[in-house]
Amino acid sequence: MQLTVIIPTFNEAENLPKLVSALFALPIENLKILVVDDNSPDGTGQKADELALTYPGRLEALHRPGKLGLGTAYKQGFRHAIEAGAEAVAQMDADFSHPTDKLPVLLAALQSCDIAIGSRYVPGGSVDVIWPLWRKALSAFGNFYARTILHLPLRDVTGGFRVWRSEALSAMPMERIRSNGYAFQVETAFVAYRLGFRFKEIPIYFADRRWGISKMSFRIQREAARRVWQMLYEHRRLRRKG
Ligand SMILES: Nc1nc2c(ncn2[C@@H]2O[C@H](COP(=O)(O)OP(=O)(O)OP(=O)(O)O)[C@@H](O)[C@H]2O)c(=O)[nH]1
Ligand SMILES: [Mg+2]
């Protein structure tokens, strides 16, 4: 399967080149990378253009004029990858939180599901030991909160390390997905579940970001918490067709 890995970036100049090297070193044939950069002040966009020259035909960069949010970055990236003929599409953070060596495992899992999720909350999965207790608690609670309200039979609904079969991704009504921040991951999982797609969770160790400063805050979490109720309402009639 031709896999395209989409990496949204905002201020990831330190991380991106190293992540790209790690990804191209994986035993995945025909791997492509699509970077979606939001005019990062630290020059990540230029780094991405340099990488595109280093890996012609294998790495592409989309540039947006400013920080327009994770959700729209992924939507644009998804469309671009599918139009370019990707058979599987991966979502991955640029900051090494998602273990690259698990990508082949997620891809292989697509043999028996539509969406493979790198999961911190199934047996064998975990979050970085150096995370402060408040962040561990917030992440665990956020997951419990979202999956309980939405009745999702998934352990990790907020994580951003996923691989989709392209047919499933193309069938997603992306225009319905209004979350643009971190709730985007929750909302796509919810809509995919309501449409009857099959999931598989693969345990991962989620490392804290290696370089750069954290953008996570209580304010961001509070917004996401509110979005969960809105999406429950907005998709209440959504069912698989036929
Ligand atoms: N293009 C784009 N990428 C973004 C935006 N916000 C975040 N990202 C990227 O999305 C990925 C996930 O964001 P992170 O900041 O790592 O989120 P997090 O892991 O919850 O929080 P920290 O790692 O603690 O900052 C990273 O690759 C970011 O660079 C955005 O508005 N636009
Ligand atoms: Mg991160």
Side-chain angles (χ1 to χ4, degrees):
M1 268 206 230
Q2 196 273 300
L3 172 70
T4 298
V5 182
I6 302 178
I7 309 172
T9 55
F10 192 75
N11 287 346
E12 306 283 6
E14 278 293 331
N15 293 314
L16 186 66
K18 297 180 179 83
L19 180 66
V20 164
S21 304
L23 287 173
F24 281 138
L26 289 172
I28 298 176
E29 247 180 276
N30 218 343
L31 178 106
K32 287 186 183 171
I33 296 176
L34 179 61
V35 179
V36 186
D37 183 68
D38 277 2
N39 200 11
S40 299
D42 76 347
T44 309
Q46 285 100 288
K47 282 265 160 66
D49 286 337
E50 287 163 28
L51 289 162
L53 292 174
T54 312
Y55 302 101
R58 299 174 72 196
L59 187 143
E60 228 183 313
L62 297 180
H63 299 279
R64 309 199 305 163
K67 194 171 186 327
L68 297 170
L70 195 67
T72 58
Y74 267 126
K75 283 187 195 176
Q76 207 170 320
F78 288 157
R79 207 179 317 122
H80 192 92
I82 287 169
E83 280 167 10
E87 294 165 305
V89 176
Q91 304 177 235
M92 194 168 194
D93 290 357
D95 58 3
F96 281 93
S97 284
H98 300 148
T100 52
D101 59 345
K102 281 290 166 88
L103 192 62
V105 186
L106 263 68
L107 184 62
L110 290 190
Q111 300 294 338
S112 56
C113 69
D114 300 305
I115 305 152
I117 294 188
S119 177
R120 298 161 288 185
Y121 301 114
V122 289
S126 56
V127 295
D128 203 319
V129 286
I130 74 160
W131 261 16
L133 193 62
W134 71 267
R135 209 170 159 184
K136 280 185 187 153
L138 205 57
S139 172
F141 177 74
N143 263 284
F144 169 77
Y145 175 93
R147 72 178 143 80
T148 306
I149 291 168
L150 301 172
H151 291 285
L152 278 171
L154 288 171
R155 304 305 298 177
D156 195 337
V157 296
T158 58
F161 188 27
R162 298 175 176 174
V163 185
W164 299 71
R165 275 177 174 279
S166 288
E167 303 92 79
L169 193 55
S170 334
M172 284 285 287
M174 284 298 172
E175 71 290 344
R176 293 186 69 113
I177 313 261
R178 288 204 303 121
S179 305
N180 194 25
Y182 296 84
F184 178 77
Q185 314 294 5
V186 179
E187 190 167 358
T188 48
F190 181 49
V191 168
Y193 174 69
R194 292 298 285 256
L195 291 174
F197 295 137
R198 298 161 304 157
F199 292 86
K200 207 164 191 176
E201 286 187 274
I202 308 293
I204 61 158
Y205 176 77
F206 182 97
D208 197 16
R209 65 163 49 252
R210 272 219 225 143
W211 293 272
I213 39 166
S214 175
K215 302 171 201 91
M216 186 45 70
S217 67
F218 274 109
R219 193 185 59 80
I220 286 172
Q221 297 269 353
R222 208 172 50 226
E223 275 171 26
R226 190 155 32 98
R227 270 301 296 156
V228 169
W229 290 103
Q230 290 171 343
M231 69 181 80
L232 179 66
Y233 181 76
E234 287 165 9
H235 304 305
R236 68 195 178 283
R237 295 208 181 84
L238 200 60
R239 291 283 186 287
R240 187 195 266 287
K241 289 193 195 82

